[in-house]
Amino acid sequence: MSIKEIYNGNSKSAEFIRFCIVGVIATALDAAIFYLVRMFASYQIALVSGYCLSLIVNYLLTIYWTFKKKPSTGNLFGVIAAHMFNLFVVRMSLMWLFVNVAGIPDRIAYIPTLLISMVTNFLVVRFAVNKTEKK
């Protein structure tokens, strides 16, 4: 598959590759903001800051580029709800467990938290998007 096909193509494989590229961009942005904000704020504030800013970029790239759709109230609400669940239930809980129970420094605990939440986020967002598309 050529770069042009990945960029412009409508095949499922092109979509998947674009989805992965968007994921890498959003994850890198999330991590960069987390570590930057963590230099002067708590890990909770850094976690929310990075996640929220990367969510905006992720949503726009996913809708416009990955799936080549127009934003709608349904897909916006579904994606934001799924991401908020992931942030406040999954990530905050994992960080709290790693930092407060296991005693892992927050700058290190962020890494397994990020990896685990990527899997749960994919499952929850996929469910949310499929649910809003059926309506």
Side-chain angles (χ1 to χ4, degrees):
M1 179 171 295
S2 72
I3 292 177
K4 186 176 181 179
E5 289 173 311
I6 292 169
Y7 188 77
N8 294 320
N10 290 326
S11 70
K12 292 292 180 193
S13 55
E15 235 176 45
F16 178 73
I17 292 169
R18 288 192 303 267
F19 180 83
C20 291
I21 292 168
V22 169
V24 168
I25 291 168
T27 301
L29 181 61
D30 183 355
I33 293 169
F34 173 83
Y35 286 109
L36 179 67
V37 172
R38 184 60 188 99
M39 292 168 47
F40 57 86
S42 69
Y43 78 78
Q44 294 92 338
I45 291 171
L47 195 65
V48 171
S49 300
Y51 197 87
C52 288
L53 289 173
S54 71
L55 168 60
I56 294 165
V57 171
N58 188 319
Y59 174 75
L60 293 172
L61 286 174
T62 297
I63 295 300
Y64 286 115
W65 187 53
T66 301
F67 298 115
K68 300 184 185 292
K69 295 189 182 235
K70 292 184 178 182
S72 71
T73 304
N75 64 33
L76 177 64
F77 179 75
V79 168
I80 288 176
H83 278 278
M84 291 301 103
F85 171 82
N86 194 51
L87 172 61
F88 290 109
V89 175
V90 177
R91 278 194 178 192
M92 285 293 194
S93 298
L94 287 172
M95 283 293 285
W96 184 85
L97 285 171
F98 289 147
V99 172
N100 296 342
V101 177
I104 300 170
D106 59 74
R107 288 170 177 87
I108 306 246
Y110 174 79
I111 296 167
T113 297
L114 177 67
L115 296 174
I116 294 166
S117 73
M118 286 168 63
V119 175
T120 60
N121 193 52
F122 172 77
L123 296 172
V124 173
V125 169
R126 187 171 118 204
F127 173 78
V129 169
N130 286 338
K131 191 95 168 148
T132 60
E133 288 294 316
K134 291 179 183 175
K135 289 183 178 181

